Amino acid sequence: MTDILKPNPVAGDMEWFVHDRFGMFIHWGTYALAARHEWVKNHERMDDAAYRKYFTYFDPDLYDPAAWARAARKAGMKYVVLTTKHHEGFCLWDSAYTDYKVTNTPYGKDALLPFVDAFRAEGLKVGFYYSLIDWHHPDFPIDGIHPLRDHPDAVEMNKSRDIGKYREYLHNQVRELLTDFGKIDILWFDFSYPTNEHRGMRGKGHEDWGSDELLTMIRELQPGIIVNNRLNLPADRADIHTPEQYQPTEWVKVDGKRVYWETCQTFSGSWGYYRDEMTWKSPEQLIRMLVNSVSCGGNLLMNVGPTARGAFDDRACKALQVYEHWMRLHSRSIYGCTQSEFDAPADCRFTQNGKRLYLHIFAWPFRAIHLPGFAGKVDYAQLLNDASEVLMKETEEDVHANMVETTGCGTLTLELPVTKPDVTVPVVELFLK
Ligand code: GLC
């Protein structure tokens, strides 16, 4: 890749990140009991008393982080990002700064240390998601996305809420997370909304969080850690940019410059476990999301929302198996790969790793794929799933007449079997000369 195409250097260690490409996001908290979206407290405008039942009954008796880690590793995921605290404010570790934590639920044990150990044991890198927003902390001022936003006394209640105290809490917790759990590879903050306004109550941004100081502390505690872009600081202070539930179709740019990026996606629309949600993505959609991300120089962070028993439900297991089966045969077109220097033909995506070019075929054609301009460039071609040779033919002229004319090069035709190989997305591996 020429330098102009590369993102500017950042503070975080990006080498493993751009190699590994595929991670697991996990959203798990007391909202798993409600099982109707991790924003349920906000959606249903619940106060702390109404929401308390999910804390009172939090008892994930099937929680086995080793099983989660194994499923992630088998799916081909190389890193994990877990919600240590989501917007609800509940902490999955034994924080010294709050009582609203897992050790005080019927479960009664720390959930984070065993998690970190289990994922490291499977060889995955470990990231922490930490919600800047906190709908439980008594000093967090009510704003337009707070569950109490429409409470008649909200404005009055804010008079006794001190963002300075909340900021201190946030910094203390982040220090704890980056001190007590060994090397942490990613810190994933969520999120800032400085321009939001509701009944005169304003949203929150870098001044509220003390983002500048916070980031300095983070870099001191964990050099090399990758920090995302949701602290409301200038774009170049972030290591990765994080388009959410949307699939970029080209390399993500900020101020006209390519950046390191990772899209986060769900199996079914919500992040937390949602029993009645039916919009589960098809196997094709799941694999294409991964391929599309890498073909545009990015990563995919795919989410699982475990149940309140502490397990992945059958639908999530099936979705993970889709990745497992495909990655077993095709991980070579993902790991270490990035956007290709070549444009892919219709219904296809390229990824590239040096002299190996991977043609992902989204719609299986009849017998042939033509690659204008490729004559003389490819030494050997094979289907990746079984390393069976793909015969090639070079034509001087015409398959795609105008391309041939404009490039002055011939077309390479790949001769494909009539029947699509029995894999979700077939890949042809092209060895460039
Ligand atoms: C949004 C949501 C949140 C989710 C996150 C993941 O910002 O607030 O529920 O954790 O997206 O990117």
Side-chain angles (χ1 to χ4, degrees):
M1 213 190 313
T2 56
D3 272 356
I4 194 157
L5 300 179
K6 270 197 194 151
N8 284 335
V10 293
D13 174 9
M14 301 310 297
E15 203 175 321
W16 70 265
F17 186 83
V18 299
H19 175 272
D20 289 355
R21 291 298 184 207
F22 188 28
M24 176 182 276
F25 215 173
I26 301 182
H27 276 67
W28 197 46
T30 72
Y31 43 81
L33 281 88
R36 53 183 190 279
H37 207 279
E38 76 284 354
W39 277 56
V40 61
K41 191 176 185 187
N42 161 300
H43 291 166
E44 300 180 15
R45 293 171 172 72
M46 289 186 214
D47 61 15
D48 285 342
Y51 199 71
R52 187 78 188 173
K53 59 191 168 191
Y54 306 127
F55 180 85
T56 306
Y57 291 103
F58 186 81
D59 192 8
D61 59 326
L62 299 180
Y63 178 48
D64 177 7
W68 294 7
R70 202 159 46 242
R73 195 248 309 140
K74 284 166 82 178
M77 293 155 163
K78 294 280 198 186
Y79 62 101
V80 67
V81 178
L82 170 72
T83 53
T84 57
K85 178 192 92 165
H86 201 262
H87 309 337
E88 65 174 0
F90 174 73
C91 298
L92 283 175
W93 78 103
D94 190 14
S95 174
Y97 302 98
T98 183
D99 293 331
Y100 197 52
K101 56 184 174 183
V102 64
T103 43
N104 292 335
T105 64
Y107 182 66
K109 286 172 281 188
D110 170 35
L112 193 54
L113 209 49
F115 176 93
V116 164
D117 289 344
F119 277 80
R120 288 203 189 113
E122 290 289 350
L124 278 83
K125 298 246 181 340
V126 174
F128 288 163
Y129 167 112
Y130 182 87
S131 174
L132 299 163
I133 299 163
D134 195 312
W135 297 330
H136 178 82
H137 197 284
D139 278 304
F140 188 90
I142 299 166
D143 57 33
I145 62 167
H146 194 279
L148 300 180
R149 63 196 171 284
D150 292 323
H151 191 289
D153 303 329
V155 174
E156 194 50 36
M157 289 157 85
N158 268 350
K159 291 189 178 148
S160 63
R161 291 176 177 240
D162 178 354
I163 186 73
K165 285 197 188 143
Y166 175 69
R167 186 160 51 238
E168 195 183 326
Y169 174 76
L170 186 167
H171 288 221
N172 282 335
Q173 286 209 316
V174 170
R175 187 177 316 104
E176 201 171 44
L177 286 170
L178 299 187
T179 308
D180 296 350
F181 298 89
K183 182 172 190 295
I184 301 306
D185 299 287
I186 297 180
L187 194 52
W188 218 102
F189 286 112
D190 200 30
F191 61 79
S192 303
Y193 46 111
T195 57
N196 183 290
E197 207 246 81
H198 183 70
R199 297 171 64 201
M201 298 177 291
R202 47 169 205 89
K204 295 180 178 61
H206 65 97
E207 288 173 357
D208 303 289
W209 317 131
S211 298
D212 193 38
E213 267 184 276
L214 184 63
L215 191 56
T216 306
M217 174 183 84
I218 294 163
R219 304 270 189 221
E220 272 169 27
L221 290 173
Q222 294 268 353
I225 195 170
I226 294 172
V227 183
N228 76 341
N229 63 328
R230 298 191 181 186
L231 280 169
N232 185 223
L233 289 172
D236 61 2
R237 301 279 308 274
D239 300 322
I240 54 169
H241 294 260
T242 54
E244 173 179 328
Q245 301 225 37
Y246 130 82
Q247 198 58 53
T249 51
E250 56 180 36
W251 198 305
V252 174
K253 291 189 184 128
V254 175
D255 303 329
K257 179 82 190 162
R258 289 181 174 199
V259 292
Y260 293 104
W261 67 272
E262 166 192 79
T263 181
C264 47
Q265 297 282 4
T266 59
F267 285 149
S268 68
S270 92
W271 302 91
Y273 178 67
Y274 198 137
R275 182 189 60 208
D276 301 333
E277 193 164 53
M278 293 303 157
T279 53
W280 286 70
K281 295 178 179 70
S282 69
E284 286 75 17
Q285 284 173 310
L286 296 176
I287 300 301
R288 287 176 187 190
M289 280 181 154
L290 177 59
V291 171
N292 278 327
S293 301
V294 181
S295 76
C296 299
N299 284 29
L300 173 66
L301 187 63
M302 183 49 91
N303 182 73
V304 181
T307 69
R309 296 287 302 273
F312 294 174
D313 84 341
D314 286 348
R315 298 168 295 183
C317 290
K318 275 196 196 119
L320 287 168
Q321 278 158 14
V322 168
Y323 284 116
E324 180 182 337
H325 294 148
W326 191 81
M327 284 294 275
R328 187 173 77 83
L329 299 172
H330 299 96
S331 65
R332 213 148 88 200
S333 74
I334 300 296
Y335 302 143
C337 291
T338 187
Q339 179 171 313
S340 169
E341 64 201 87
F342 302 101
D343 292 330
D347 303 325
C348 296
R349 299 290 183 280
F350 273 141
T351 64
Q352 191 170 348
N353 185 354
K355 288 207 173 289
R356 295 190 189 206
L357 183 61
Y358 295 97
L359 179 69
H360 300 76
I361 305 170
F362 285 1
W364 193 250
F366 177 59
R367 286 209 161 152
I369 287 189
H370 306 293
L371 300 173
F374 273 79
K377 289 196 172 141
V378 179
D379 192 48
Y380 186 72
Q382 61 183 7
L383 280 168
L384 187 50
N385 59 291
D386 62 356
S388 60
E389 182 177 11
V390 170
L391 295 173
M392 303 183 287
K393 224 194 300 177
E394 295 187 358
T395 30
E396 298 286 302
E397 75 310 332
D398 195 29
V399 193
H400 280 240
N402 34 20
M403 295 287 282
V404 174
E405 271 161 35
T406 51
T407 62
C409 298
T411 291
L412 180 77
T413 297
L414 303 175
E415 300 188 347
L416 299 172
V418 171
T419 314
K420 179 189 168 223
D422 191 17
V423 294
T424 310
V425 172
V427 178
V428 178
E429 185 175 40
L430 301 165
F431 295 82
L432 298 172
K433 282 182 184 163

